[in-house]
Amino acid sequence: MASLIAGGVDCDVHPAVPHLTSLLPYLNDYWRDQVTTRGMVDLVSQSYPQNSPITSRPDWQPETGKPGERLEDMQRHVLDPFKLKHAICNPLYGVQMVFSEDMQAAFCRALNDWLAKEWLDRDARLRGSIVIPTQSVEKAVAEIERCAPDRRFVQVLMLVMGDVPLGKRALWPIYEAAERLELAVGIHAGSAYHNPPTAVGWGSYHIEDYVGQAQAFQTQLTSLIVEGVFAKYPRLKMVMLESGVSWIAPYLWRLHKFWRGVRMETPWVDRAPLEIVRSNIRFSLQPFDAPPEPETLIRLFDHMQSDELVLFSTDYPHWQFDGQDALPEGLSPDLVRKIMIDNPHATYPRLKELPPKEARP
């Protein structure tokens, strides 16, 4: 495997909420009463079923509780052995699955406060993503603006399978707020399950959901490009998290071909899709969905025509590799540095800042 280097940025780790009661201290009296009166016990998404092997590596599986719920485990399994300078926490708790706009907003607020208090405050290497209530664009923008003064938040987090295509104009205030506040927008694999997770309806097995994520990323990327999001917000960076990377080159070839043929339909798309992806879109490394041969890997990166698209990630605690083999074989030292350090810092401008606690001697 390619050798890791110290000082890298892990762009996708998943701290787990132990239980819905863990958020009670961060809810107001009304919502605490609602949770207890209704007998609500947890908000668990089926994107990573609790007992599915891929949900946690065997050596990262705790004896009790959920994988990733203890900071000490994350430090021992990832932060220390990988010698990371930063790791970006992307909580995948099921708050974005809630149908009620008000309840979703309350739970997102509590989750973000929980992340800041229970994780970011306890390890200076950690950074956070703002989980937003996408049921209401107004409430989503308000939550971004509430959390943004804490410069340890470097990203806004959305799910790839929500309720609508992400390029829709109704969502643009979210992107305006992110660009204005120097926050990337992370689009993470997963579903709110308000719609079927495949284009043809509900499947029978988890594998159908899991494999279908790549199709969802392609659909959303097309929507974002052709609706003109990046023409309107040229400084906005979006990160496709757990999207895979091997589909990028053939997808862009096909999109470019059809864009040239019907570009009169979308005159605001004034750059080729490949140029837009190069300047505005990034992809997390894991899960790395390509053959293991080094020559195939090199050809894959050549086809992408850029060494700036991929960001290092471990996807902790999900099982995507064994040991410390987080990088595929065949990467040059220069490309390793780009993936682990240079590309993340170019994507997340807030990583360059030193929070007050770190700045003190």
Side-chain angles (χ1 to χ4, degrees), residues 11 88 90 129-130 132 144 153-158 166 172 174-188 221 224-225 229-241 271 274-284 306-311 338 341-352:
C11 295
I88 301 174
N90 297 316
S129 292
I130 304 168
I132 57 172
I144 293 170
F153 284 105
V154 300
Q155 181 169 250
V156 174
L157 191 64
M158 305 173 74
L166 291 178
W172 284 19
I174 294 173
Y175 309 142
E176 185 280 327
E179 183 188 59
R180 169 167 46 88
L181 296 167
E182 296 184 301
L183 293 159
V185 174
I187 310 298
H188 200 285
L221 186 51
L224 291 162
I225 291 173
V229 169
F230 303 108
K232 180 70 172 178
Y233 307 108
R235 295 183 293 106
L236 180 66
K237 289 288 195 296
M238 284 195 171
V239 183
M240 305 295 157
L241 297 160
R271 292 182 293 155
L274 176 58
E275 293 180 30
I276 295 173
V277 168
R278 283 176 182 168
S279 62
N280 297 88
I281 306 295
R282 300 295 179 260
F283 303 85
S284 67
S306 175
D307 60 2
E308 299 179 350
L309 299 184
V310 178
L311 310 178
K338 291 280 287 187
I341 297 177
D342 298 343
N343 293 350
H345 280 87
T347 303
Y348 300 102
R350 289 182 172 214
L351 289 180
K352 302 171 184 176

Side-chain angles (χ1 to χ4, degrees), residues 129-162:
S129 292
I130 304 168
V131 181
I132 57 172
T134 51
Q135 284 285 93
S136 166
V137 173
E138 180 182 8
K139 294 180 185 298
V141 171
E143 184 62 12
I144 293 170
E145 293 178 337
R146 185 185 75 88
C147 295
D150 185 342
R151 304 292 290 187
R152 298 174 301 178
F153 284 105
V154 300
Q155 181 169 250
V156 174
L157 191 64
M158 305 173 74
L159 296 176
V160 71
M161 295 184 184

Side-chain angles (χ1 to χ4, degrees), residues 58-288:
D59 56 328
W60 290 348
Q61 178 73 42
E63 292 184 6
T64 60
K66 297 177 182 177
E69 74 173 37
R70 285 182 283 273
L71 173 61
E72 294 77 11
D73 288 342
M74 184 184 290
Q75 292 168 330
R76 180 164 51 91
H77 293 148
V78 174
L79 295 175
D80 295 339
F82 285 80
K83 299 179 181 178
L84 298 173
K85 181 175 182 179
H86 295 303
I88 301 174
C89 297
N90 297 316
L92 295 182
Y93 201 49
V95 293
Q96 290 177 316
M97 300 169 62
V98 175
F99 280 94
S100 165
E101 291 183 11
D102 293 328
M103 181 179 288
Q104 189 181 98
F107 284 168
C108 286
R109 181 186 182 103
L111 178 61
N112 293 326
D113 289 346
W114 169 86
L115 179 64
K117 183 70 174 178
E118 305 293 336
W119 291 82
L120 307 189
D121 281 357
R122 295 175 59 200
D123 194 309
R125 292 170 290 186
L126 296 180
R127 297 295 180 266
S129 292
I130 304 168
V131 181
I132 57 172
T134 51
Q135 284 285 93
S136 166
V137 173
E138 180 182 8
K139 294 180 185 298
V141 171
E143 184 62 12
I144 293 170
E145 293 178 337
R146 185 185 75 88
C147 295
D150 185 342
R151 304 292 290 187
R152 298 174 301 178
F153 284 105
V154 300
Q155 181 169 250
V156 174
L157 191 64
M158 305 173 74
L159 296 176
V160 71
M161 295 184 184
D163 294 336
V164 297
L166 291 178
K168 289 291 187 180
R169 313 297 167 87
L171 297 175
W172 284 19
I174 294 173
Y175 309 142
E176 185 280 327
E179 183 188 59
R180 169 167 46 88
L181 296 167
E182 296 184 301
L183 293 159
V185 174
I187 310 298
H188 200 285
S191 176
Y193 295 106
H194 298 170
N195 299 313
T198 81
V200 294
W202 295 93
S204 301
Y205 305 102
H206 174 58
I207 189 172
E208 296 175 84
D209 184 338
Y210 191 80
V211 172
Q213 300 288 329
Q215 296 173 339
F217 278 105
Q218 293 175 33
T219 299
Q220 296 292 23
L221 186 51
T222 302
S223 173
L224 291 162
I225 291 173
V226 303
E227 291 275 5
V229 169
F230 303 108
K232 180 70 172 178
Y233 307 108
R235 295 183 293 106
L236 180 66
K237 289 288 195 296
M238 284 195 171
V239 183
M240 305 295 157
L241 297 160
E242 293 190 38
S243 61
V245 298
S246 63
W247 54 268
I248 298 170
Y251 158 81
L252 284 174
W253 179 88
R254 187 166 183 260
L255 179 60
H256 181 80
K257 174 186 176 182
F258 288 118
W259 168 74
R260 290 184 64 186
V262 296
R263 60 187 301 178
M264 63 181 179
E265 182 185 27
T266 56
W268 46 84
V269 184
D270 55 359
R271 292 182 293 155
L274 176 58
E275 293 180 30
I276 295 173
V277 168
R278 283 176 182 168
S279 62
N280 297 88
I281 306 295
R282 300 295 179 260
F283 303 85
S284 67
L285 181 67
Q286 296 292 346
F288 190 74

